[in-house]
Amino acid sequence: GEQFVCGSTSIAVANVNDDYCDCEDGSDEPGTSACPGSSFYCRNKGHTPLRLPASRVDDGFCDCCDGSDEAASGALCADDCIEVGIAARAEAVATLEAYERGLATAREWASRANESRSKWREELSEIDVDLEVRRQLREEINTKKLAAEEIEKKMQEEERARLDAEAAERKAREEAEAAEKAAARAALLAKCPLAAEEDVMCAAVYEPVCAVAEKQFPSRCEASAQGYRSECEELLEEGECPAAEPAPAADGDEAAEAAAEEAPLQPAEADGEAHAAADDQDAAAMPTPPHDEPEAAASEEPPPRSDADSSDAYGSDADGSDAYGSDA
């Protein structure tokens, strides 16, 4: 009859699952626990077949849903493979549906990613094109900028040269004018002052003028009488002459001056100072014409005029005009 081959052993098919271990590997007893170290096969009709270790057969615990593993133990194992199979299939269907939904979502996301990737690639291509255009534009701008800077630099150099030339010309002109003025002033100083006019009488006013920064006169009239008239009048400046600054004295000179100031006056020096004080008192006692009444001083009785002189003591001419320019 038909034979079951296991390794080098061949047995009749009727001896399979006869609760006797004929094969060394125990493959002839998959449904019994006859072979030690072998496994027990549960058919579990209506559900998933199961293979158990032989040690778990007839141990009083239902491992197979059809109860075939406890056939000889007397354990009451119900055959519920159909119900278990239905629940397992329902769970498998739910799992499959979840997998399919996940797969659909993954496919949708993959499609969106592909669309986004295509869009991003298009945008990247546009950006690359725009970047290249901008790069070329920047190069053109830099070229124009360098050219403009070169032109500006040249214009600045020309303007600087023009300003330097104008400054040099202005300086030369100012130096020439200053030299001309200095020469004119030197010529004027050489001929001034003119001869003094002793027959001029001036009003008693104090409007000081300074001649050549060293000769001070109480009024312009007095300066004119002393020869600073006509073209020499240009040497006059309004106001008092600036005070001369004393030269700095050496340390020994300062000590000598301090000792001289502290020393008592000699008799001759005392007499000189006494005479000077008396002169100052006499001068203070003499009447002085008021400074704010020049017209009254001018209207005083003039001294008698000599027959040989055609001008009076006030400098009046024959036509009747006096030294102040008033008409007769």
Side-chain angles (χ1 to χ4, degrees):
E2 188 177 359
Q3 298 291 314
F4 178 80
V5 179
C6 54
S8 59
T9 303
S10 178
I11 62 174
V13 174
N15 294 330
V16 176
N17 287 327
D18 60 353
D19 202 20
Y20 182 79
C21 187
D22 298 302
C23 299
E24 293 180 358
D25 58 0
S27 59
D28 63 320
E29 299 297 326
T32 68
S33 59
C35 298
S38 62
S39 60
F40 180 81
Y41 180 76
C42 302
R43 291 184 62 188
N44 291 340
K45 187 177 181 179
H47 188 42
T48 305
L50 181 63
R51 189 175 291 275
L52 296 173
S55 60
R56 296 174 62 180
V57 176
D58 294 330
D59 60 354
F61 186 80
C62 299
D63 294 301
C64 301
C65 64
D66 58 0
S68 60
D69 62 318
E70 300 296 330
S73 67
L76 299 177
C77 295
D79 185 1
D80 55 358
C81 287
I82 294 177
E83 290 81 1
V84 174
I86 291 174
R89 282 192 293 274
E91 183 179 358
V93 169
T95 303
L96 179 61
E97 290 177 353
Y99 285 156
E100 288 179 350
R101 287 194 301 271
L103 182 60
T105 302
R107 288 174 178 171
E108 182 181 359
W109 288 356
S111 177
R112 291 181 181 178
N114 291 332
E115 293 177 358
S116 299
R117 186 181 297 109
S118 300
K119 182 179 179 180
W120 293 340
R121 287 177 178 173
E122 292 177 359
E123 292 178 355
L124 184 60
S125 300
E126 293 177 357
I127 291 174
D128 290 338
V129 173
D130 184 66
L131 183 62
E132 183 63 25
V133 172
R134 291 176 181 271
R135 186 180 294 110
Q136 294 178 359
L137 181 62
R138 184 186 65 182
E139 293 178 356
E140 294 177 0
I141 292 175
N142 287 336
T143 302
K144 293 180 180 180
K145 177 185 176 184
L146 294 176
E149 288 178 350
E150 192 67 25
I151 294 174
E152 182 182 6
K153 181 179 179 181
K154 184 177 180 181
M155 292 177 63
Q156 289 178 350
E157 292 177 353
E158 293 177 354
E159 181 67 13
R160 190 178 297 109
R162 184 184 68 81
L163 293 176
D164 292 343
E166 289 182 355
E169 181 180 356
R170 183 169 56 253
K171 182 178 180 181
R173 184 172 58 253
E174 291 175 353
E175 290 178 353
E177 292 176 356
E180 184 178 355
K181 290 180 179 179
R185 185 177 178 84
L188 199 60
L189 289 172
K191 68 169 67 174
C192 294
L194 303 176
E197 294 182 345
E198 298 180 356
D199 56 350
V200 175
M201 177 170 282
C202 299
V205 295
Y206 186 72
E207 296 177 353
V209 292
C210 181
V212 201
E214 59 182 7
K215 298 178 181 180
Q216 181 172 321
F217 299 95
S219 65
R220 186 172 289 272
C221 176
E222 294 286 349
S224 176
Q226 294 298 322
Y228 289 96
R229 58 184 178 276
S230 185
E231 56 183 350
C232 295
E233 193 174 356
E234 297 180 5
L235 299 176
L236 297 178
E237 295 180 0
E238 299 294 337
E240 298 180 354
C241 293
E245 297 182 358
D251 295 339
D253 296 339
E254 293 179 356
E257 291 177 359
E261 291 177 356
E262 295 177 358
L265 296 177
Q266 299 296 328
E269 295 176 352
D271 294 341
E273 290 188 0
H275 289 300
D279 294 340
D280 292 338
Q281 292 178 359
D282 295 339
M286 293 177 64
T288 303
H291 295 290
D292 54 352
E293 298 178 359
E295 294 181 358
S299 61
E300 292 179 355
E301 185 68 22
R305 182 175 56 184
S306 61
D307 297 336
D309 194 355
S310 61
S311 61
D312 59 13
Y314 290 92
S316 59
D317 298 331
D319 57 355
S321 61
D322 58 14
Y324 300 102
S326 59
D327 298 335

